[in-house]
Amino acid sequence: MNDSVTRQLALTLGHLYPDQLNLYGDRGNIIVLRRRCQQRGIELRVVSLGLGDALAPDEYDMLFIGGGQDREQAPVAQDLHDTKGIGLWAAIEDDMPVLAVCGGYQLLAHYYRPASGPDMRGLGVFDAWTIHKGPRVARCIGDIAINWNGSTLVGFENHGGRTYLGTAQPLGKVLKGYGNNAEDATEGAIYRNAYGTYMHGSLLPKNPHFADHLIGLALRRKYGKNDWDNSHINETGEWTDGASSSESLEIKDDDPSVVLTPLDDRLEWEAHASLLEHMGLQDAAIAALSNDNGLKVS
Amino acid sequence: MRKRRPSAKLRRAGLRSGERKGTLTPNRTEKPSERPLTVARGQRRLPRSKRRPSLRAGLAVVGGRTAGALSRRLHLGGGTSIVGLVAQRVYPDIVGHLATQLEHGSVIVTGTNGKTTTSGFIAAVLSDAGLRVWRNREGSNLMGGIASSLVIRAQPNGNLRREGRAISILEVDEAVMPQILQTVPARVVVFTNLFRDQLDRYGEVDSVAALWQQALGTLSTDTILVLNADDPTTAHLGEAFGGRVLYFGIDDPALDLKAQHDEGERHQVIDTRICPKCGGEYSYDLRFFSHMGHYHCAHCGNQRPQPDVRAVKVQSDDFDRTRMQVSSSLMAGTSKQQQEIVIPLPGIYNVYNALAAATVAQAIEIGWEPIVTGIEQFKPIFGRGERIHIEGRTLRLLLAKNPTGFNEVLRTLFNEGTHRHVLFVLNDNIADGRDISWIWDVDFEQAVNHTSTLVVAGSRALDLALRLKYAGVAQDKMITVTTAPLRAIKPDTSLAARKKRRAKNRNVKMLEEADQQPPLTEISHHYGIAEALDSAVRQTPVGETLFAVPTYTGLLEIQRELERRGLTPHYWEGRDN
């Protein structure tokens, strides 16, 4: 590693509407991203983007948008459309990782049609739409587990609207719970590196592999994919270029989180498995524990 | 299957506690009435035909009480809410029929936090004022429980026994409030506050507010509304009401969050930030916690109403001795407009509870003296800070069931930088709310480095342990006691062993470090609330205090466990310290 160059890694997370869209535990996702970066010596700056703030795509490496109450969602929808729409589109087309939960997910689809009143227009990032079928149709409330990328994601869902996917690819297949609409066993949506989901709980604490996936995407996007092939992040977050030692990691195209230093995630996976067990998904629970520590079985 | 078990457990636990506590609070002033029983006083609405309703009422009472006795005999449960349910089946208007007979009418208390303590304070004050106080049992705050509380006190002729000097204080669940207001003619209605709580059950904060607003539309203008001036949503309820409205609030700038924390404002869960009139955002001159404080809307000028009863100075003498100077415009003509009141409970939330009680008392023209004695001599209700002696240690229980409640309990515990022995219990039964995401909104960061010992328990112990881990609590500083072992972990393929194997296979250098980690000792190999309590007690040195902070059903489990160990109510209701 003689002629290697080291530099400090830093990421900036844009947190959209933290004051308006903060219903139940969305903050947990931010806490988890920050700490998982910090433990690897990666600096994660979190910038709040409130109503009226412009979104300059160049300034961020990752975006998060949560869910809120209906009353608070209307001005947000307006602002998203008028002020941040173009920046957000540009960021997403440029492969920026975006996590949109619940209300945020609905706002990134085409529209939200309430039981009464006019449609709320969304950004149309996901080719999907949401319909609220009125107070007589039960809300989708409860624990949820889905299949994602060969593993499981667990969380809690609580939504009145039913989301239907057009050409959008779902985030995963529902193993237990309702998902997008309680009809087609799909949950969430993916467009490029933007992920929409109904899962909170919070989502990321019990799904460390998904948290790392997002961090990995952001790192790869910022520091370039090719560089990763011969590079290595050490425990202090220094990133070494041109290391040609036998220990260099092999990067799989589909899993950017592999380059991250594994953390001690036993507690995370036990919590994950415990919820799977509660839902009666015993095999998935066993599989989750054999996947511990953020390492994927090759 | 999982859905059924906890609720059955809860039901058992709840009923047991109810039997022990007695459904209606036997009060200090309970004396035989000198008044003849025949005249139903204070009756505001006449039954359609005088004879039939009282016959039906009589049938309803007999039916309900028989059902209750039967259900107790058959061990189907404690038979408390069934009394009301059956009686209502026989005569749907039974509650209204009985409630109108109370000489002093009914006080209804609702809100997210502080219902039980506020009703407790009111009951104590009114008892000291010489009234006969009837209450619904804690936790039985839905329609059935409220109906039972009256039916149990009724005679087979359909009339209440000893209704003279009687006043009922009904603690009502915020979601069934509209139903109750339609049935019970209320003399005073108290709204303590509105925070997010169990979104899976109540829906959003805004929908509860809308429900309340609607319910008030049908309320008689003879009713007096008592509202928290410092909570924007609650205070706003007074705007459209045609009757008398009294506000209570805190006017002590020293309690402002910014004045309290030099290191900057802590994370606060704020559930109301938008002015209901214009949609503008509230600004705060003073903020005491969450969205409680002195707010105004810069856009339309809507602002906090001037409270009638206000705490002008609040001092904490001790962990659970708060002294406040209360000024009341309702006492303006009297010799004493200002009065010192001592609250035997910790936290700002109890200042609000006491203020609400004082306001109710003054609304029905009760003077300072019973207010002062009632509040000061108040015996904490189970789970609200009372002391229990256990193996030479003192156990104190502080219920925390939603983010704001939890934040305030943590603030009370760790405010002065004190180190505490703590047991957290997080359950996700129906009564707790199935969704535990809210723990990520609680500022557990303030507990970091301030716990001498820490045990985490409950059906979602792992989630809470994870929350604490991300707050920065070292994992070897806490013991996690789950309710049951994870079946997915097989003893022979321990995590450490598998990790080691995989590390070798993958030839990842950095895992060598992980291999030297100690095994996962922080997860206990014992399970359940008894174990959790034991390990928390064992860790607490003799003579010191263990603070248990459970969610609602966690509290019931602890209560049951203490009962099993012979720590009867006698112990925990006595103020022996």
Side-chain angles (χ1 to χ4, degrees):
Chain A
M1 294 194 189
N2 295 335
D3 45 20
S4 65
V5 185
T6 62
R7 36 178 162 146
Q8 176 73 40
L9 299 178
L11 294 173
T12 306
L13 169 73
H15 184 184
L16 274 73
Y17 311 110
D19 291 341
Q20 288 76 22
L21 305 183
N22 65 352
L23 213 57
Y24 268 27
D26 288 334
R27 179 171 166 254
N29 293 318
I30 308 286
I31 293 174
V32 166
L33 288 173
R34 181 185 275 140
R35 186 161 274 262
R36 295 186 74 81
C37 281
Q38 192 185 42
Q39 284 175 324
R40 292 159 168 135
I42 304 165
E43 189 193 347
L44 182 75
R45 283 186 295 263
V46 180
V47 177
S48 295
L49 288 164
L51 291 175
D53 296 340
L55 197 166
D58 297 350
E59 290 174 16
Y60 306 98
D61 304 305
M62 213 192 290
L63 296 172
F64 175 77
I65 175 167
Q69 302 204 46
D70 285 347
R71 186 167 59 146
E72 289 170 345
Q73 213 144 298
V76 165
Q78 190 68 33
D79 183 83
L80 193 62
H81 196 269
D82 298 348
T83 317
K84 300 193 182 58
I86 293 170
L88 191 56
W89 260 115
I92 290 170
E93 289 296 341
D94 194 27
D95 285 335
M96 189 184 294
V98 176
L99 177 61
V101 178
C102 205
Y105 168 38
Q106 293 172 346
L107 288 172
L108 291 195
H110 291 305
Y111 60 83
Y112 175 85
R113 177 163 299 160
S116 60
D119 287 4
M120 198 188 286
R121 190 160 47 152
L123 272 192
V125 169
F126 302 119
D127 182 15
W129 56 92
T130 307
I131 297 168
H132 195 296
K133 295 185 170 174
R136 305 188 63 183
V137 179
R139 287 178 74 86
C140 301
I141 302 177
D143 293 326
I144 173 170
I146 69 168
N147 235 327
W148 172 75
N149 204 14
S151 63
T152 45
L153 295 179
V154 295
F156 193 92
E157 59 182 325
N158 183 354
H159 53 105
R162 263 57 171 180
T163 298
Y164 298 90
L165 303 181
T167 58
Q169 189 198 339
L171 173 64
K173 183 176 170 295
V174 175
L175 298 172
K176 210 83 184 207
Y178 300 96
N180 281 330
N181 48 44
E183 291 162 30
D184 60 16
T186 65
E187 158 54 25
I190 304 177
Y191 177 72
R192 302 188 84 103
N193 287 335
Y195 296 87
T197 180
Y198 277 118
M199 299 174 73
H200 60 117
S202 307
L203 176 64
L204 298 182
K206 282 195 292 291
N207 298 293
H209 54 320
F210 192 56
D212 284 355
H213 176 75
L214 295 173
I215 297 169
L217 284 172
L219 285 173
R220 178 183 294 220
R221 179 177 170 274
K222 181 167 185 183
Y223 295 101
K225 178 184 175 291
N226 292 334
D227 294 346
W228 290 112
D229 292 340
N230 290 317
S231 63
H232 189 74
I233 308 172
N234 67 20
E235 295 79 358
T236 56
E238 281 163 345
W239 170 45
T240 318
D241 267 338
S244 53
S245 80
S246 58
E247 287 151 356
S248 69
L249 294 167
E250 281 186 28
I251 309 298
K252 288 192 292 177
D253 273 349
D254 58 341
D255 196 355
S257 65
V258 167
V259 297
L260 293 169
T261 316
L263 301 175
D264 178 4
D265 286 339
R266 286 174 292 177
L267 188 56
E268 282 81 346
W269 284 106
E270 290 208 2
H272 183 109
S274 159
L275 193 56
L276 288 170
E277 270 195 15
H278 273 307
M279 283 186 267
L281 300 166
Q282 189 61 24
D283 291 346
I286 292 167
L289 284 179
S290 64
N291 262 353
D292 72 306
N293 238 340
L295 294 169
K296 300 292 175 310
V297 179
S298 41
Chain B
M1 270 303 95
R2 190 179 163 250
K3 269 191 177 152
R4 188 163 289 174
R5 199 169 39 88
S7 69
K9 204 198 277 170
L10 162 69
R11 200 163 56 231
R12 272 201 312 279
L15 290 170
R16 279 249 214 125
S17 67
E19 279 172 10
R20 191 180 39 66
K21 278 196 213 162
T23 298
L24 288 157
T25 315
N27 271 292
R28 289 166 249 182
T29 52
E30 194 100 59
K31 280 177 232 143
S33 168
E34 302 96 62
R35 211 182 293 274
L37 300 170
T38 45
V39 190
R41 298 169 59 101
Q43 200 148 349
R44 286 182 213 179
R45 80 191 120 135
L46 274 175
R48 239 174 286 144
S49 116
K50 263 207 157 171
R51 210 172 59 89
R52 266 192 66 218
S54 81
L55 178 64
R56 284 187 73 182
L59 278 175
V61 169
V62 173
R65 294 176 62 175
T66 312
L70 217 72
S71 118
R72 269 193 302 277
R73 193 64 49 83
L74 299 175
H75 299 285
L76 297 175
T80 43
S81 59
I82 194 165
V83 177
L85 293 175
V86 169
Q88 277 190 303
R89 207 19 116 59
V90 179
Y91 182 26
D93 200 24
I94 185 73
V95 175
H97 174 85
L98 294 175
T100 47
Q101 298 175 20
L102 294 157
E103 189 185 22
H104 289 277
S106 300
V107 177
I108 293 178
V109 182
T110 197
T112 309
N113 288 332
K115 288 187 288 287
T116 303
T117 302
T118 301
S119 338
F121 278 142
I122 297 172
V125 169
L126 299 188
S127 297
D128 282 6
L131 297 183
R132 190 196 313 280
V133 176
W134 298 4
R135 297 175 63 189
N136 58 324
R137 202 191 73 216
E138 186 213 332
S140 298
N141 55 13
L142 303 177
M143 198 67 210
I146 284 155
S148 298
S149 72
L150 290 166
V151 173
I152 284 176
R153 284 295 176 108
Q155 305 177 103
N157 68 5
N159 290 327
L160 285 179
R161 271 176 290 167
R162 301 192 295 181
E163 78 285 3
R165 287 199 279 93
I167 185 163
S168 75
I169 298 168
L170 302 174
E171 170 195 335
V172 175
D173 182 276
E174 49 269 45
V176 302
M177 189 63 185
Q179 247 180 298
I180 303 291
L181 285 185
Q182 272 175 11
T183 336
V184 180
R187 185 168 175 197
V188 183
V189 180
V190 189
F191 290 91
T192 58
N193 48 52
L194 180 61
F195 296 107
R196 65 178 70 174
D197 185 16
Q198 299 187 27
L199 290 185
D200 51 332
R201 193 169 130 228
Y202 295 116
E204 298 169 347
V205 167
D206 288 345
S207 45
V208 176
L211 210 64
W212 285 357
Q213 197 84 56
Q214 232 176 333
L216 290 183
T218 60
L219 195 64
S220 153
T221 48
D222 294 339
T223 306
I224 302 171
L225 272 192
V226 171
L227 303 175
N228 189 333
D230 295 351
D231 176 12
T233 317
T234 307
H236 184 67
L237 294 171
E239 296 250 330
F241 185 62
R244 189 171 177 216
V245 182
L246 298 176
Y247 291 98
F248 59 91
I250 294 179
D251 271 357
D252 185 353
L255 295 183
D256 187 31
L257 275 176
K258 277 178 234 124
Q260 298 238 309
H261 295 287
D262 299 333
E263 73 270 42
E265 202 171 319
R266 295 274 191 180
H267 176 75
Q268 292 282 316
V269 189
I270 294 167
D271 302 317
T272 306
R273 52 176 83 245
I274 289 180
C275 168
K277 279 188 175 166
C278 70
E281 198 156 325
Y282 282 127
S283 334
Y284 281 80
D285 301 322
L286 296 176
R287 192 199 293 278
F288 305 126
F289 63 89
S290 187
H291 51 257
M292 308 286 272
H294 295 198
Y295 52 87
H296 64 268
C297 170
H299 194 246
C300 73
N302 182 26
Q303 59 174 337
R304 166 189 187 254
Q306 180 62 26
D308 302 280
V309 177
R310 41 201 201 103
V312 288
K313 187 155 180 51
V314 178
Q315 288 167 278
S316 161
D317 286 359
D318 198 352
F319 175 73
D320 54 3
R321 201 179 135 88
T322 311
R323 186 199 304 268
M324 63 172 178
Q325 306 297 328
V326 180
S327 173
S328 168
S329 63
L330 303 171
M331 293 292 182
T334 67
S335 56
K336 222 173 180 191
Q337 196 177 339
Q338 193 158 325
Q339 173 68 48
E340 180 176 282
I341 297 177
V342 172
I343 309 164
L345 294 174
I348 299 189
Y349 46 97
N350 282 315
V351 171
Y352 280 114
N353 295 338
L355 282 174
T359 313
V360 169
Q362 295 189 351
I364 57 176
E365 280 148 21
I366 284 170
W368 284 118
E369 201 185 318
I371 297 176
V372 171
T373 57
I375 292 173
E376 184 163 5
Q377 286 156 31
F378 178 73
K379 287 166 187 149
I381 294 151
F382 192 79
R384 275 72 169 190
E386 83 292 16
R387 293 184 172 85
I388 297 149
H389 289 285
I390 179 164
E391 294 170 33
R393 288 87 166 170
T394 305
L395 170 66
R396 306 202 60 166
L397 292 161
L398 298 163
L399 171 71
K401 49 183 186 167
N402 47 40
T404 296
F406 218 126
N407 266 336
E408 286 312 294
V409 165
L410 292 180
R411 176 145 72 118
T412 307
L413 282 179
F414 301 112
N415 204 9
E416 287 133 30
T418 338
H419 283 63
R420 308 280 194 192
H421 302 278
V422 182
L423 163 66
F424 290 126
V425 184
L426 177 68
N427 281 355
D428 68 345
N429 295 325
I430 289 162
D432 305 297
R434 307 304 306 267
D435 185 4
I436 50 98
S437 312
W438 57 270
I439 60 172
W440 292 90
D441 288 323
V442 176
D443 192 17
F444 283 103
E445 284 74 8
Q446 55 188 315
V448 176
N449 298 329
H450 286 103
T451 52
S452 310
T453 64
L454 175 59
V455 177
V456 181
S459 59
R460 298 302 285 267
L462 290 168
D463 284 87
L464 189 50
L466 200 53
R467 173 68 188 97
L468 288 159
K469 174 183 170 180
Y470 279 93
V473 176
Q475 280 183 272
D476 55 4
K477 287 271 164 61
M478 57 180 161
I479 297 177
T480 307
V481 183
T482 55
T483 40
L486 261 180
R487 279 172 295 143
I489 300 182
K490 295 197 189 80
D492 53 334
T493 54
S494 74
L495 288 174
R498 265 180 292 134
K499 182 161 48 167
K500 198 168 180 175
R501 253 200 325 272
R502 202 169 323 110
K504 273 185 190 151
N505 292 344
R506 292 181 52 89
N507 192 20
V508 178
K509 192 175 88 181
M510 58 211 58
L511 274 184
E512 284 172 13
E513 186 196 308
D515 278 347
Q516 289 151 14
Q517 282 175 351
L520 204 50
T521 46
E522 72 270 19
I523 308 244
S524 145
H525 293 293
H526 302 285
Y527 307 94
I529 197 73
E531 277 300 332
L533 196 59
D534 276 341
S535 73
V537 167
R538 268 199 308 271
Q539 286 196 84
T540 308
V542 171
E544 293 194 19
T545 302
L546 167 66
F547 291 88
V549 185
T551 54
Y552 187 69
T553 66
L555 177 67
L556 295 180
E557 285 171 14
I558 292 177
Q559 184 178 18
R560 205 146 49 110
E561 180 56 29
L562 292 173
E563 217 171 276
R564 204 182 56 77
R565 296 179 187 197
L567 297 165
T568 62
H570 170 70
Y571 287 87
W572 62 66
E573 279 173 10
R575 289 177 55 76
D576 41 5
N577 215 349

